[in-house]
Amino acid sequence: LLAGDTAVTVELGDDVDEALNRRVVALDDAIAAAQWPGVVETVPTYRSIQIHYDPDVLDPATLFRRLEELFDRPLSEETPGRIWTVPVCYGGDNGIDLEAVATRVGLAAEDVIRLHSAPIYRIFAIGFAPGFAYLGGLDPRLHLPRLDSPRLKTPARTISIGGRQAAITSIEAPSGWHLLGRTPVHPFDLRRSEPFLFRAGDRVRFRRIEAADFARLSALAAEGGYMPECLDP
Amino acid sequence: VTAPSLVAVDPGPLSTLQDLGRRGYQRFGVSTAGAMVPWLMQLANRLAGNPPSMAAVELTLSGGLWRVEGGPIRLAVGGAFPLAIDGHPVASWQAHVLEPGQRIEIGSGGALYGYLAATGGFAVEPTLGSASTHVRSRLGGIDGGAIRSGQALRLRTDEHPTGPNLSLDPSRVPQPPPVFRVVLGPQDDYFTRAGLDALLDGEYTVTPDVDRMGYRLVGPPIGHSRGHNIISDGIAPGSIQVPGSGQPIVLMADRQTTGGYPKIATVISVDLGFLAQRRPGDRVRFSAVDLSQAADARGEFRRALERLDVSLAPARSIADLSSSALLGVNLIDGVVDGRHTLVE
């Protein structure tokens, strides 16, 4: 699909689906490995990849031909993602929508926390804001439409849900999602040698922590002295 | 010896440091930011004698008042903005050397954006490979924000500017296209035939809701055929996003990296900077082109800029032809009688 004269969008499907997203990640890896001159950057999302290119270096017809050649070849399996354990302090000031979510889905707040922290989520994409992670794998019992009127400001590092998706936010931003809690983890921190913690294809599980631990870990993180547990297969 | 500084006495409505944008991090959710009118920023740099991609101050509507400290600085403004040094009008489209203590006032021209470049460039540490300011995510520029009153921009160099001031012929500066050209897609199939016709035949007015992120337009509503939600995907510069209201939003330099509204078309790269110069109340029209027409448009625009470069003749060439007196006299008098085009 054309996105002007300096970008194309390669759509592999029209669904939020793990197998589809695996193909996105694998194709994105293949494009990166091919190192075609004139490709400026690629933006993989749930089911598509946007390729930004310099049309004065890479003729679009050539780009399309190369992409077709790539499609004809079997894609290698994506590299297995890392598994992060992200601590979350649920409810209260940290998760102002927890009670409302519980009421709307007809469960106790404790059950919402249990359902939210049970799965191992897949990071489908990073987007919207620096380091913002879109997660798939939310329990269907927690699927809720977004707020009718988005909040103009939500805090950094919130754990939220919206529709079929869950998210770990990174910086203060407007949002129409339901805020369940906050994490001391900084998904985006320029002081680190790798400023962006998460990559598409990584996995995340949430671990509940209490307010005192949240305060302690947040203070550590503010000094750059805290990193969450990570299993690197 | 410390490098001279340019102090923002009054930075105008919005001044930010921008270069050609932050590339390679959209996959991590980082907006490219960068100059709203890249070629104009490059032109300011050429007038200043800089590499074209150096960071410059992007001015919005009017450029405010700036004071030079610590040593002489050569400044150039890209854009039709009236200039005055210590209250005396001087030529636009020309570089000027200011001595410590001197002030340059940059008024309001017809354009929305202009660029202030300093010979040698501003000393700004790149963030993720770029000096471009993205205020929403507090990245780039100085502490991620717009330039504030009293803030000093230090130069990279303490070398005094030497040689003549460059200038160019304003009549050769590329002019906006009568109609903004778009390539349909990536989600033109989310719209009704009537919706596509509305975009291509209708006239749209720029609303007051314009900023570095996007320009909201109002005009004939663009109808959706399959709802107005898509699974969030990447957003190219110039994407025309149509939310439920049916009124289009053209996404600009500070756009978010991904979004969930269908995008009916994308303004072609050479026309996007011109669209960025439209002000609230201006009327715009769109026409559809294919990729080969977009390539022709890029070629034509590049040639126009090259012709402009030829006319970027240093004043010295005039002096060589006649005398150094001419240099002094013409530079100043030319401003007054409009003959300040020291070209060919």
Side-chain angles (χ1 to χ4, degrees):
Chain A
L1 308 178
L2 300 182
D5 60 335
T6 64
V8 294
T9 299
V10 182
E11 213 169 84
L12 300 180
D14 190 16
D15 203 0
V16 176
D17 171 77
E18 170 156 352
L20 179 57
N21 188 247
R22 279 177 179 280
R23 284 172 53 219
V24 168
V25 173
L27 180 64
D28 186 57
D29 287 346
I31 293 170
Q35 295 192 315
W36 299 324
V39 170
V40 178
E41 63 183 305
T42 61
V43 186
T45 49
Y46 289 94
R47 45 71 188 250
S48 69
I49 300 174
Q50 186 158 72
I51 303 173
H52 296 260
Y53 66 97
D54 178 350
D56 295 328
V57 177
L58 178 57
D59 172 54
T62 309
L63 173 61
F64 300 152
R65 202 186 58 239
R66 286 180 173 163
L67 280 169
E68 271 163 27
E69 287 165 9
L70 211 56
F71 285 135
D72 291 342
R73 269 182 269 152
L75 288 171
S76 54
E77 246 321 86
E78 66 168 11
T79 328
R82 301 163 295 178
I83 303 174
W84 298 92
T85 302
V86 172
V88 184
C89 183
Y90 287 98
D93 289 346
N94 293 314
I96 53 173
D97 295 328
L98 177 65
E99 296 293 339
V101 166
T103 306
R104 284 185 64 179
V105 301
L107 292 167
E110 277 303 312
D111 293 326
V112 172
I113 295 173
R114 191 174 48 77
L115 290 178
H116 181 264
S117 55
I120 295 184
Y121 296 87
R122 174 185 171 85
I123 297 183
F124 276 72
I126 308 291
F128 177 67
F132 179 112
Y134 289 103
L135 310 179
L138 181 66
D139 191 294
R141 283 168 285 183
L142 297 181
H143 292 184
L144 264 187
R146 294 172 197 182
L147 298 177
D148 288 336
S149 131
R151 295 188 176 101
L152 291 178
K153 209 173 188 183
T154 60
R157 303 181 290 284
T158 56
I159 304 300
S160 55
I161 57 173
R164 306 155 60 181
Q165 296 158 233
I168 306 172
T169 79
S170 54
I171 61 171
E172 235 176 46
S175 170
W177 294 37
H178 307 275
L179 314 181
L180 298 185
R182 288 188 72 197
T183 177
V185 173
H186 288 236
F188 172 57
D189 189 341
L190 277 174
R191 296 169 300 182
R192 287 194 299 254
S193 59
E194 285 189 46
F196 306 95
L197 203 57
F198 305 125
R199 282 195 297 262
D202 282 357
R203 283 165 192 281
V204 168
R205 57 183 168 212
F206 293 115
R207 181 168 63 85
R208 182 181 190 178
I209 57 169
E210 297 307 320
D213 286 328
F214 174 72
R216 182 177 57 82
L217 293 174
S218 294
L220 259 182
E223 291 162 15
Y226 172 68
M227 282 282 281
E229 276 175 57
C230 175
L231 285 176
D232 205 341
Chain B
V1 184
T2 57
S5 302
L6 185 64
V7 179
V9 179
D10 163 19
L14 176 67
S15 290
T16 56
L17 277 163
Q18 299 293 344
D19 54 20
L20 293 177
R22 194 165 277 112
R23 304 315 303 255
Y25 296 96
Q26 291 188 83
R27 58 170 46 247
F28 294 115
V30 179
S31 301
T32 60
M36 290 287 277
V37 192
W39 66 268
L40 198 52
M41 185 204 89
Q42 293 174 307
L43 209 52
N45 274 320
R46 288 194 177 140
L47 279 171
N50 288 337
S53 58
M54 220 169 210
V57 177
E58 182 176 273
L59 313 165
T60 312
L61 272 170
S62 82
L65 182 65
W66 305 76
R67 187 179 67 241
V68 166
E69 285 182 0
I73 297 181
R74 194 203 307 271
L75 294 171
V77 173
F81 287 70
L83 307 177
I85 296 175
D86 288 344
H88 303 289
V90 297
S92 303
W93 299 109
Q94 187 196 304
H96 299 277
V97 175
L98 276 75
E99 297 298 328
Q102 283 197 302
R103 295 165 169 232
I104 187 165
E105 189 173 3
I106 306 168
S108 177
L112 196 47
Y113 294 104
Y115 295 87
L116 171 63
T119 302
F122 300 107
V124 50
E125 275 301 308
T127 304
L128 299 174
S130 165
S132 287
T133 313
H134 190 253
V135 174
R136 276 186 179 77
S137 55
R138 306 297 304 172
L139 283 180
I142 301 163
D143 306 327
I147 297 167
R148 300 180 302 274
S149 290
Q151 216 162 32
L153 303 178
R154 194 174 287 275
L155 261 59
R156 259 178 211 292
T157 171
D158 57 11
E159 278 176 35
H160 287 193
T162 54
N165 290 318
L166 297 171
S167 65
L168 61 82
D169 179 352
S171 70
R172 290 185 173 223
V173 173
Q175 293 302 305
V179 175
F180 293 100
R181 291 160 289 189
V182 301
V183 174
L184 291 178
Q187 281 101 26
D188 46 322
D189 58 335
Y190 269 72
F191 297 89
T192 60
R193 184 67 243 172
L196 283 161
D197 289 345
L199 176 76
L200 300 175
D201 298 335
E203 189 175 64
Y204 290 85
T205 305
V206 180
T207 70
D209 200 357
V210 297
D211 63 14
R212 286 185 40 88
M213 195 170 182
Y215 283 31
R216 277 177 196 268
L217 310 178
V218 60
I222 299 168
H224 298 84
S225 59
R226 302 158 56 189
H228 56 266
N229 279 291
I230 60 164
I231 299 169
S232 298
D233 71 355
I235 303 177
S239 281
I240 304 177
Q241 171 180 287
V242 186
S245 66
Q247 298 298 334
I249 305 169
V250 187
L251 293 160
M252 302 303 231
D254 279 4
R255 70 192 180 282
Q256 67 275 34
T257 58
T258 55
Y261 292 115
K263 299 166 282 291
I264 188 170
T266 314
V267 179
I268 65 170
S269 51
V270 294
D271 286 0
L272 188 57
F274 290 107
L275 184 62
Q277 295 287 37
R278 300 290 89 178
R279 295 158 82 151
D282 284 352
R283 285 159 206 276
V284 298
R285 304 183 75 94
F286 299 101
S287 73
V289 295
D290 61 24
L291 285 184
S292 90
Q293 291 167 304
D296 292 345
R298 282 196 309 278
E300 200 180 306
F301 188 68
R302 188 169 49 235
R303 285 189 295 279
L305 285 179
E306 280 163 6
R307 283 197 297 275
L308 197 58
D309 273 358
V310 176
S311 68
L312 257 177
R316 182 178 51 223
S317 62
I318 303 281
D320 291 346
L321 287 173
S322 49
S323 69
S324 59
L326 181 70
L327 174 65
V329 172
N330 260 11
L331 270 175
I332 308 302
D333 293 354
V335 179
V336 179
D337 62 13
R339 287 184 293 106
H340 64 281
T341 52
L342 295 172
V343 288
E344 291 170 71

